[in-house]
Amino acid sequence: MYKNYLKIALRNLLKHKAFSFINISGVAIGLACFLLLAIYVKDELSYDRFHANADRIYRLSRTFLSKDGSVSLRLGHAAPPFGPLIKQDFPEVEQVVRLLETGALVRYGEHLFNEENLFVAEQNVFKVFSFQVTNGNPAKALENPFSIMFSRPMAEKYFGKENPVGKTIRLDNQLDYTVTGVFEPLPAQSHFHPSFLVSFSTLNDPRVYGAEGLRSNWGNNSFSTFLLLPEKYDAKKLIKAFPAFQDRHIEAKASSWSVLDLTKLTDIHLYSHLDSEIEANGDIRYVYMFSAIAIFILIIACINYMNLATAKSATRAKEVGMRKVIGAVRSQLINQFLSESILLVLVSVVIAILIVVLCLPYLNNFTQKQLTFNALLDPAFVCILISITLFTGVIAGSYPAFFMTSFQPISVLKGKIASALKNGRLRQSLVVLQFAIAVVLIISTAVVYNQMRYIQNYKLGYSKDQIILLGMPDDSATNTESIKQRLKENSNIKEVGRSSRIPSGRLLDSWSAYVMKGDSMAPTDITIKSLSVDEDFIPTYQIEMAAGRNFSREYPTDKTNGFILNETAIKILGWKNPADAIGNRFGYGDIRGEIIGVTKDYHFESLHQKVAPIVMFNQPGRMGRVSVHVSGGNLKEAISHIESVWKTQFPQTPFSYEFLDQRFGKLYATEETQQMLFGIFAGIAIFISCLGLLGLSMFMAELRTKEIGVRKVLGASVTSIVTLLSQDFLKLVIIAILIASPIAWYGMHSWLEDFAYHTEINWWVFALAGIIAAGIALFTVSFQSIKAALMNPVKSLRSE
């Protein structure tokens, strides 16, 4: 029996090639998109879950409050004393491990490289995290000072096939370390990726950090601190005890300005977006967004299939009637229709899997991930795939299987069902739904595109073009001026400035400001972020002065008591005009002096944040970043000159640089990726929707062949027939646009609120989306309508 069902199903597929192609390609493309996005979403949701204790590990974070209670700084790091004191005061905590991320110049023999992702880690790191140690003893590898472990790729880079354990390397051309082990790199789905692990006891050496600093330095919030809690322990109990803990160890009422919190390890990647993170994290909102897009596209593909399946079933009404007349029972007819439907979906699934295999490398290149097809072999994925196949096949086949087989043979043979199916409300509703989804994606794509263009063209208040960034070695402060003069000997270099941080990075240092009240300096409730710069920083970035002057070498006191504030800081401190602030006494932290200048506001941080109040002062010992403003005439020659000066001044340090505009672009890499994905999948959604419209228009033209022939005989023009066949579909698309527009506005309005500075959602975006959707739909339908209108009426009426 089932063999017979399969034969009939294959014959029907081959008999109606156009419908079969549209059905299979629509479902295959939709399912392929769903699977690709599902792999992406699964990857995002799997971060840090490979650790054996993932559900019990929590990260300590620290938030600083202003005197008015507002948040001034949120850090994913904490001060070094917190770790051991938490273990001391809360014995229920099983393990506390501290990590300090840094970079170093690594030398072994002739190998010399600037390396990042070097983590100073406590000895119990392997009791908390699931590292796979391939060489060395994990229990003792980080026990002694000046011990270092290499990740396997780094070990191969420096030592080749040799066993590195026991060998000596040098860091920063200063101190020697002994290699004590090798570990496999952590999976891509980790929120941190150490290339090296250095023993934490090394920090006790005063040449490195100092034991006293580890015990009492509450201001250096650079240490990632992780807690391993007992099974089924409520972390909220610990969080509630933190205020008293801080008041006890830091100072009375420390909890009024410092707040400790815990974040579950598996929540860090998607839910943590603090001012300091080990690596850039993902965002749960994008996971929800791409999950919705995946489901929407699959729904559109399924709607297409259901529409065409129910429409085409009308042409098989007489077949159903004849089968019933010759003795077929209803259950046999139901099995026939369902088997045909499921077979077609199975063919689509096979093609979809092939599409996924072909497209996965491109998706990896696009998202900078390491997604693999193995994700689809996960039992949960297999169950989902089987469920989708059966669900789509059964739902699409259920209408002809259960509805049409319920009629009496006489009704079927008289054609009453076929005439009733001409104006199916179900099909019309499904067409509206699929085009509404497509229009939402088109509008979203347009809004994201506009926001990205807005960001790229927004006036930042400084020049970010043709700026080369360098990181100077720590020992370069003594000969800074001579280095700058040598760099400026080349005519392609305009300015060279130094600073503690560079634009596009977060300003993490913030203290309360002091201003004159009466005859004395008094603290304010205002927290201002700080930046240490030299005399050439402002000219290098072409930042405009609103009042006063820049730092100058002609005024030696500028290095000890000169301050430059931005307009936002001036306004917050109470001065109405920038000029009113010039010459006033001002204090910041432990420094006292006067305001010598006010700059116009500039966006040092990303446009996700509003312009922060900033104070600049000139403290040479704090400036480790160099910005070189070059002319665009001969960039290659300028870089060659910079490299030559670098190698002369720092022969032991490899030369490396980056451009500011590229660094700035990284701030919005996620949004750029989102824009591209929106565009791609909106196009796919429209394409699949149009496939369905094409199929439906073919069906309607076929169903109304005799009507078209009669109209032509009676004098109807081709235009009138095309209009007749197209207007019904066009009405449905217009309804879809009206439904989709408010939904898209609400969603994208919420998305834009994440930006402190954003474009508006203009009316023309909705008009453009409507025109695109209606135009594509009209083109698709008209193609088949014109073909039907040009048909010779004699052929369509010859059977009458």
Side-chain angles (χ1 to χ4, degrees):
M1 181 63 73
Y2 287 100
K3 184 178 180 181
N4 183 54
Y5 291 158
L6 181 62
K7 281 184 179 180
I8 296 173
L10 290 173
R11 285 172 183 171
N12 277 312
L13 288 178
L14 296 173
K15 181 180 179 182
H16 306 286
K17 294 183 179 63
F19 277 89
S20 298
F21 173 78
I22 291 173
N23 265 330
I24 292 173
S25 59
V27 174
I29 293 171
L31 191 57
C33 291
F34 174 83
L35 293 176
L36 286 169
L37 287 173
I39 292 172
Y40 175 86
V41 169
K42 184 177 184 295
D43 180 82
E44 287 288 288
L45 294 174
S46 65
Y47 267 69
D48 293 309
R49 297 185 185 276
F50 62 90
H51 294 290
N53 300 317
D55 60 333
R56 297 196 290 133
I57 303 173
Y58 288 79
R59 184 196 63 186
L60 184 71
S61 61
R62 191 179 190 187
T63 299
F64 289 91
L65 305 177
S66 301
K67 290 186 177 181
D68 61 359
S70 62
V71 174
S72 63
L73 199 61
R74 302 182 306 157
L75 302 176
H77 299 78
F82 280 116
L85 290 174
I86 287 176
K87 189 70 176 75
Q88 170 189 301
D89 286 19
F90 305 100
E92 64 270 28
V93 176
E94 293 185 7
Q95 298 287 340
V96 177
V97 62
R98 291 170 292 176
L99 304 175
L100 177 63
E101 182 190 13
T102 183
L105 181 64
V106 181
R107 175 187 287 277
Y108 175 72
E110 298 299 321
H111 298 288
L112 180 66
F113 298 99
N114 266 320
E115 300 288 5
E116 297 180 348
N117 297 321
L118 186 149
F119 282 76
V120 183
E122 291 190 281
Q123 186 178 353
N124 62 339
V125 66
F126 301 113
K127 295 181 180 179
V128 178
F129 298 106
S130 299
F131 282 87
Q132 183 183 349
V133 178
T134 55
N135 277 356
N137 183 354
K140 296 184 177 181
L142 297 178
E143 182 178 16
N144 299 319
F146 300 101
S147 298
I148 186 170
M149 298 180 71
F150 279 59
S151 67
R152 179 181 48 76
M154 289 296 108
E156 293 173 352
K157 176 179 178 180
Y158 284 88
F159 306 104
K161 295 182 179 180
E162 297 180 40
N163 182 2
V165 176
K167 297 187 182 297
T168 301
I169 58 103
R170 174 163 289 192
L171 298 186
D172 293 326
N173 292 317
Q174 296 177 354
L175 300 170
D176 291 335
Y177 291 73
T178 301
V179 181
T180 56
V182 177
F183 60 91
E184 287 294 323
L186 292 180
Q189 297 79 18
S190 173
H191 84 282
F192 70 106
H193 295 88
S195 296
F196 307 88
L197 292 174
V198 173
S199 56
F200 202 86
S201 56
T202 306
L203 296 179
N204 289 317
D205 192 299
R207 294 172 296 174
V208 182
Y209 192 91
E212 181 59 31
L214 292 175
R215 286 192 297 268
S216 60
N217 189 346
W218 296 99
N220 180 13
N221 295 282
S222 302
F223 292 75
S224 298
T225 305
F226 295 91
L227 282 61
L228 180 63
L229 302 182
E231 292 278 0
K232 299 181 180 179
Y233 185 86
D234 187 2
K236 292 181 180 178
K237 293 181 182 179
L238 207 58
I239 295 172
K240 289 179 180 178
F242 281 154
F245 167 79
Q246 290 193 95
D247 295 342
R248 188 164 58 249
H249 289 288
I250 302 176
E251 64 178 28
K253 297 183 179 180
S255 57
S256 64
W257 52 266
S258 174
V259 178
L260 297 181
D261 198 2
L262 294 174
T263 303
K264 196 171 184 178
L265 178 68
T266 52
D267 288 343
I268 292 174
H269 178 66
L270 292 177
Y271 294 92
S272 182
H273 305 97
L274 306 182
D275 294 321
S276 71
E277 300 280 359
I278 297 179
E279 294 181 7
N281 289 329
D283 195 323
I284 190 63
R285 292 174 300 174
Y286 295 143
V287 171
Y288 291 148
M289 198 174 297
F290 289 128
S291 298
I293 291 174
I295 293 171
F296 285 162
I297 289 181
L298 185 61
I299 288 173
I300 289 175
C302 291
I303 286 173
N304 264 1
Y305 180 50
M306 292 165 64
N307 261 342
L308 293 176
T310 55
K312 195 63 181 173
S313 65
T315 63
R316 300 179 64 183
K318 290 183 179 180
E319 177 192 339
V320 173
M322 286 301 298
R323 284 176 176 272
K324 280 196 167 189
V325 168
I326 61 177
V329 296
R330 190 183 180 198
S331 61
Q332 292 175 326
L333 295 173
I334 290 173
N335 289 336
Q336 175 65 57
F337 279 108
L338 290 180
S339 61
E340 288 183 19
S341 181
I342 293 173
L343 174 64
L344 191 143
V345 176
L346 281 173
V347 174
S348 302
V349 168
V350 173
I351 296 173
I353 292 174
L354 292 175
I355 293 173
V356 170
V357 172
L358 292 174
C359 292
L360 205 53
Y362 298 100
L363 183 63
N364 280 332
N365 184 58
F366 187 69
T367 60
Q368 299 300 304
K369 283 184 171 288
Q370 299 174 23
L371 307 175
T372 65
F373 187 75
N374 291 335
L376 292 180
L377 302 179
D378 183 272
F381 247 100
V382 174
C383 291
I384 291 173
L385 194 58
I386 293 173
S387 300
I388 291 171
T389 302
L390 293 176
F391 178 81
T392 306
V394 170
I395 291 297
S398 61
Y399 184 80
F402 294 99
F403 177 72
M404 291 188 59
T405 59
S406 65
F407 284 87
Q408 294 296 321
I410 188 67
S411 300
V412 175
L413 293 173
K414 285 184 175 180
K416 291 182 179 180
I417 297 179
S419 60
L421 288 173
K422 285 185 180 180
N423 298 308
R425 293 293 178 86
L426 175 62
R427 287 199 307 278
Q428 293 175 349
S429 301
L430 293 177
V431 169
V432 169
L433 176 60
Q434 67 176 175
F435 263 89
I437 294 171
V439 171
V440 167
L441 292 177
I442 292 174
I443 293 173
S444 301
T445 302
V447 172
V448 173
Y449 176 83
N450 286 340
Q451 177 63 13
M452 290 300 100
R453 299 292 79 72
Y454 179 85
I455 288 172
Q456 291 172 358
N457 298 322
Y458 191 85
K459 293 183 178 180
L460 300 173
Y462 62 86
S463 172
K464 65 180 176 66
D465 298 321
Q466 308 298 335
I467 301 283
I468 296 176
L469 306 174
L470 306 172
M472 300 293 275
D474 293 336
D475 59 357
S476 61
T478 55
N479 58 349
T480 299
E481 288 303 317
S482 63
I483 294 172
K484 290 169 67 174
Q485 291 304 317
R486 285 206 58 193
L487 288 173
K488 294 174 74 172
E489 289 175 0
N490 189 289
S491 59
N492 293 298
I493 296 177
K494 297 180 179 179
E495 295 287 351
V496 182
R498 295 191 70 194
S499 59
S500 56
R501 293 185 180 273
I502 54 175
S504 76
R506 296 305 304 270
L507 291 168
L508 301 180
D509 300 324
S510 60
W511 300 92
S512 295
Y514 291 77
V515 295
M516 288 295 295
K517 290 187 177 180
D519 296 329
S520 61
M521 296 286 286
T524 67
D525 294 336
I526 299 167
T527 301
I528 298 179
K529 295 187 176 184
S530 65
L531 185 64
S532 185
V533 303
D534 69 358
E535 299 85 356
D536 300 311
F537 177 82
I538 289 177
T540 297
Y541 283 93
Q542 300 177 355
I543 298 171
E544 296 184 26
M545 300 296 297
R549 62 177 177 83
N550 181 25
F551 295 114
S552 173
R553 294 176 179 83
E554 297 177 2
Y555 298 90
T557 55
D558 284 356
K559 293 184 181 296
T560 56
N561 61 7
F563 293 100
I564 297 177
L565 282 71
N566 65 350
E567 290 175 313
T568 295
I570 293 299
K571 292 173 184 176
I572 292 176
L573 291 170
W575 285 292
K576 293 183 179 180
N577 299 308
D580 297 339
I582 303 301
N584 280 279
R585 296 287 296 166
F586 182 79
Y588 187 77
D590 297 330
I591 308 172
R592 300 293 181 269
E594 68 175 48
I595 300 172
I596 64 171
V598 178
T599 67
K600 291 186 176 181
D601 280 338
Y602 56 95
H603 292 271
F604 194 95
E605 300 172 310
S606 99
L607 293 179
H608 287 285
Q609 289 82 34
K610 291 184 178 180
V611 173
I614 299 174
V615 57
M616 292 185 284
F617 43 82
N618 190 341
Q619 289 188 337
R622 298 186 59 191
M623 293 178 267
R625 303 307 299 264
V626 174
S627 304
V628 183
H629 193 171
V630 301
S631 63
N634 196 333
L635 190 60
K636 186 175 181 180
E637 181 184 328
I639 294 174
S640 178
H641 175 71
I642 296 171
E643 182 176 9
S644 174
V645 173
W646 180 278
K647 288 182 176 180
T648 302
Q649 296 292 329
F650 313 112
Q652 300 298 316
T653 304
F655 174 68
S656 62
Y657 66 94
E658 65 178 326
F659 286 95
L660 178 63
D661 54 354
Q662 293 175 344
R663 184 183 175 93
F664 187 83
K666 293 177 183 177
L667 293 175
Y668 310 102
T670 301
E671 286 79 9
E672 290 282 0
T673 301
Q674 184 184 10
Q675 173 197 333
M676 292 295 294
L677 288 177
F678 261 126
I680 291 169
F681 290 113
I684 291 173
I686 283 289
F687 174 75
I688 297 174
S689 299
C690 289
L691 273 180
L693 272 188
L694 178 62
L696 282 177
S697 61
M698 289 170 62
F699 163 72
M700 293 305 296
E702 180 182 339
L703 209 60
R704 302 174 71 174
T705 300
K706 291 183 174 60
E707 177 190 344
I708 294 170
V710 172
R711 288 180 179 274
K712 289 197 72 173
V713 168
L714 295 176
S717 64
V718 172
T719 303
S720 64
I721 293 174
V722 170
T723 303
L724 174 70
L725 295 175
S726 304
Q727 62 184 4
D728 291 338
F729 290 109
L730 195 57
K731 288 176 184 177
L732 299 178
V733 174
I734 292 173
I735 294 172
I737 293 169
L738 295 176
I739 293 173
S741 295
I743 296 173
W745 180 89
Y746 177 80
M748 297 315 297
H749 179 74
S750 301
W751 180 77
L752 287 173
E753 287 182 344
D754 188 47
F755 292 85
Y757 303 90
H758 57 77
T759 185
E760 298 298 324
I761 304 178
N762 298 309
W763 64 268
W764 61 262
V765 172
F766 302 97
L768 178 64
I771 292 171
I772 291 174
I776 293 175
L778 188 61
F779 174 80
T780 303
V781 175
S782 296
F783 175 79
Q784 185 62 32
S785 299
I786 293 172
K787 181 180 177 181
L790 293 174
M791 187 183 295
N792 189 340
V794 175
K795 291 183 179 180
S796 59
L797 297 176
R798 62 187 174 185
S799 62
E800 296 298 318

